[in-house]
Amino acid sequence: MTSVSDKPVSLADVLAFYLEAGVDEPLLEQAIDRFAATPPRARVEAVQPTSSAPAPGRVQQAVPVVPDEAQAALARERASRASSLDELREIMANFEGCNLRLTAKNLVFADGNPEADLMLVGEAPGRDEDIEGLPFVGKSGQLLDRILAAIGRDRQSAYIANVVPWRPPGNRKPTPIETEICRPFIERQIELADPKVLVAVGASSAHTLLRTNEPITRMRGNWRTFTTGSGKEIPIMPTLHPAYLLRTPAHKKLVWRDFLEIKARLNS
Ligand code: URA
């Protein structure tokens, strides 16, 4: 295979390019003949929730249904029914109102010790987390484990979850509506875990949990308050995401400061 510059391009290069672009899984074993398939207009009709079986010869595409406010309301109602973390996990596993679950392999509910006084909340699972069904197990997670170890903590003494529990395809950022649909679940999860100290890992988590758009660079290092549905106030520390630190290692010292603050608060 050659590129436009005639420099040889290996199959491995092409696959690496796809992986970077977010194409990291084959969906079908056989290629689709797009010329033989349904014209675009008919395909759109085929994905309407009310449509009946596709006409003979037409390809029914597994295009996710766009969620709406009704799904967010349903999520709120379902989350409020959970009286334990186990019940919440079960409710989330059966919740069909978020399109992300159509492409995710697993629900990524939580890892660590739900009894811990420290709870960390990230943005959403990535590829590794989706495969294992556990949060923060990839490269970012390994760095997060080292950060926790620096304050004498591990997954026996911390509880870890994400705002969004299903992997967005290609590791894209969850959309605002996806986040709103998942918000009741993480809020209830925090309420049920009832930690002494909460950490918002990265901008997305801080923005969702604190309902603000302030830059994370300004928020990090400063205690804020997360208020649960029942009105309990929990101190929350926004900090930089380990994925960002992997790209910008010079900022690790800022996170080190944040975690010293967290350690002091836990010991107070
Ligand atoms: N990034 C997150 O925010 N959460 C994970 O679980 C993994 C990576």
Side-chain angles (χ1 to χ4, degrees):
M1 195 182 296
T2 57
S3 71
V4 276
S5 65
D6 278 346
K7 195 169 151 246
V9 175
S10 70
L11 183 57
D13 290 336
V14 175
L15 291 175
F17 168 78
Y18 280 152
L19 196 60
E20 271 205 357
V23 185
D24 55 5
E25 306 161 20
L27 289 179
L28 297 170
E29 282 181 0
Q30 294 202 327
I32 297 173
D33 179 353
R34 302 273 173 203
F35 294 103
T38 318
R41 203 179 142 68
R43 278 213 302 273
V44 169
E45 283 161 14
V47 300
Q48 297 306 309
T50 50
S51 70
S52 51
R58 291 196 172 174
V59 176
Q60 185 155 27
Q61 303 280 308
V63 176
V65 176
V66 178
D68 57 17
E69 170 51 30
Q71 302 304 328
L74 187 62
R76 281 195 288 278
E77 190 270 318
R78 296 269 169 90
S80 70
R81 277 197 222 159
S83 55
S84 69
L85 288 167
D86 284 345
E87 271 181 35
L88 183 64
R89 180 202 283 264
E90 186 68 16
I91 285 169
M92 288 164 69
N94 290 316
F95 182 72
E96 293 183 344
C98 182
N99 60 357
L100 293 176
R101 63 167 289 160
L102 298 177
T103 45
K105 286 188 172 61
N106 279 304
L107 167 74
V108 177
F109 181 70
D111 194 17
N113 182 355
E115 304 290 319
D117 53 0
L118 173 63
M119 178 169 179
L120 299 101
V121 180
E123 175 183 271
R127 182 172 181 271
D128 297 320
E129 289 76 18
D130 185 37
I131 291 168
E132 293 207 22
L134 291 170
F136 282 105
V137 291
K139 285 212 171 93
S140 303
Q142 287 154 21
L143 178 54
L144 188 64
D145 284 342
R146 293 201 292 279
I147 295 169
L148 284 173
I151 60 160
R153 296 274 173 158
D154 58 18
R155 292 184 188 224
Q156 302 307 313
S157 51
Y159 184 57
I160 307 177
N162 282 307
V163 166
V164 170
W166 295 281
R167 179 201 184 199
N171 291 355
R172 65 163 168 76
K173 208 173 140 54
T175 65
I177 185 67
E178 287 160 356
T179 303
E180 282 315 301
I181 288 168
C182 296
R183 170 196 290 286
F185 295 128
I186 187 61
E187 289 184 347
R188 186 75 181 130
Q189 198 169 354
I190 294 169
E191 191 173 11
L192 290 167
D194 191 23
K196 178 176 178 186
V197 167
L198 200 50
V199 180
V201 182
S204 279
S205 168
H207 291 162
T208 307
L209 298 181
L210 292 167
R211 297 176 186 266
T212 174
N213 269 328
E214 286 172 64
I216 186 69
T217 43
R218 208 160 62 209
M219 297 173 81
R220 63 139 288 277
N222 297 300
W223 288 106
R224 303 277 174 112
T225 302
F226 172 83
T227 307
T228 69
S230 61
K232 180 163 184 202
E233 297 191 336
I234 302 176
I236 176 167
M237 173 63 79
T239 193
L240 304 175
H241 197 285
Y244 168 79
L245 296 182
L246 289 170
R247 298 189 300 270
T248 322
H251 285 180
K252 282 184 185 169
K253 58 178 182 282
L254 301 176
V255 171
W256 171 235
R257 277 184 220 153
D258 299 347
F259 273 80
L260 285 181
E261 277 284 333
I262 292 162
K263 185 180 182 183
R265 189 80 180 229
L266 285 165
N267 294 336
S268 67

